[in-house]
Amino acid sequence: MATGALLFACALLGGVAVAQRVVTLQSGPLVRTEGSHVTILCNVTGYKEGMEQDFEWSMYLPSVADREIRIISTAQLNYAYAVYSQRVNSKEIYVERLSGDSAMLHITKVQANDQGLFECYTPNTDGQYLGSYSARTNLTVIADSLTVTAPAQTLSKVEGDTLQLTCEVSRTTLQHTHLSVGWYLRSPEDAASPPQELVTLSRDFVLRSGGPVPAEDGGRGPQAG
Ligand SMILES: *[C@@H]1O[C@H](CO)[C@@H](O)[C@H](O)[C@H]1NC(C)=O
Ligand SMILES: *[C@@H]1O[C@H](CO)[C@@H](O)[C@H](O)[C@H]1NC(C)=O
């Protein structure tokens, strides 16, 4: 009888040792521009199978490192503290569930005062506590210092001529940033129609030409712009 109980206890310990909860948050520091759409991915492994996991996001300001500010939870409504409740209610901040054990926090317009340490916490779904239940990552929000200058000019060209246009793009930040620069053509007849992409240099220095002119614009004839 006693031996049976001992074996059972050992088997239980052995089974638990492999299933250790691990929460993984997109590693930081994440550096994002004020006003941009920020996403932070969180996932969890090592829990008992078949249970959909919940995710709770909080943040800690750099100035008050031990005060948790709750933002949003997949388990509870009205989880946010006052500073975040309006942005959560208006869906400016939301959680996208990607699977039973991964979810993405979206901040559609990040603000300077979102800078801090973000924490993803997953409530326990097992009988006992084992492993880690949260993970943290730093978010740095930099000012949008992007400026674009191009001399205003009226050019007259004969078909077949070479056209050279100059555009200067700059930003002032100590952070390592990537810029993407594109040229677009706007129809002078219809200022309301969307500009047509001509050529774009991606932030990874890949040059890409724009798509074909939509049929309603009258085909691929020469256009001024
Ligand atoms: C999610 O989990 C897998 C392992 O299960 C890991 O490789 C991946 O990096 C995780 N992603 C994030 C962003 O947590
Ligand atoms: C976040 O940044 C603070 C301040 O620089 C640092 O002390 C802390 O270790 C960082 N935490 C993580 C999880 O990167």
Side-chain angles (χ1 to χ4, degrees):
M1 188 67 190
T3 319
L6 197 64
L7 279 177
F8 179 69
C10 288
L12 200 64
L13 280 174
V16 165
V18 275
Q20 262 225 23
R21 176 175 288 257
V22 177
V23 176
T24 312
L25 195 55
Q26 194 173 331
S27 61
L30 305 170
V31 180
R32 299 292 182 264
T33 307
E34 197 175 346
S36 66
H37 183 149
V38 171
T39 58
I40 308 179
L41 184 60
C42 181
N43 69 16
V44 54
T45 56
Y47 56 92
K48 213 178 280 171
E49 288 300 314
M51 287 288 288
E52 187 175 76
Q53 300 297 299
D54 276 310
F55 296 86
E56 301 185 335
W57 265 272
S58 305
M59 70 90 76
Y60 300 80
L61 291 170
S63 51
V64 214
D66 57 352
R67 196 184 68 200
E68 180 188 17
I69 301 174
R70 296 185 162 192
I71 303 173
I72 193 165
S73 158
T74 56
Q76 299 175 47
L77 284 173
N78 305 321
Y79 181 79
Y81 284 180
V83 282
Y84 276 105
S85 59
Q86 203 204 327
R87 292 165 75 200
V88 171
N89 289 340
S90 68
K91 304 272 192 291
E92 185 192 317
I93 296 177
Y94 60 93
V95 177
E96 178 192 4
R97 184 180 276 288
L98 303 174
S99 70
D101 54 19
S102 68
M104 183 118 82
L105 173 71
H106 288 256
I107 304 176
T108 55
K109 277 179 79 173
V110 78
Q111 299 178 0
N113 50 18
D114 292 326
Q115 176 162 312
L117 190 58
F118 277 71
E119 180 178 68
C120 170
Y121 172 82
T122 66
N124 189 26
T125 51
D126 301 339
Q128 52 208 312
Y129 285 84
L130 199 70
S132 72
Y133 290 79
S134 63
R136 296 174 165 192
T137 202
N138 275 314
L139 173 68
T140 300
V141 181
I142 58 174
D144 184 357
S145 61
L146 186 65
T147 57
V148 182
T149 49
Q153 51 188 335
T154 307
L155 299 170
S156 223
K157 293 282 177 182
V158 175
E159 195 173 345
D161 279 358
T162 300
L163 173 66
Q164 189 174 322
L165 298 170
T166 317
C167 166
E168 203 171 313
V169 184
S170 69
R171 76 283 201 196
T172 48
T173 173
L174 295 173
Q175 299 290 344
H176 178 84
T177 54
H178 300 257
L179 285 178
S180 160
V181 180
W183 284 95
Y184 294 80
L185 182 64
R186 230 179 235 292
S187 157
E189 290 91 46
D190 184 6
S193 71
Q196 176 204 336
E197 184 183 348
L198 297 182
V199 64
T200 297
L201 187 61
S202 84
R203 59 183 203 172
D204 310 309
F205 300 106
V206 177
L207 199 61
R208 190 188 68 198
S209 63
V213 182
E216 63 265 33
D217 283 6
R220 286 158 54 83
Q223 288 184 356

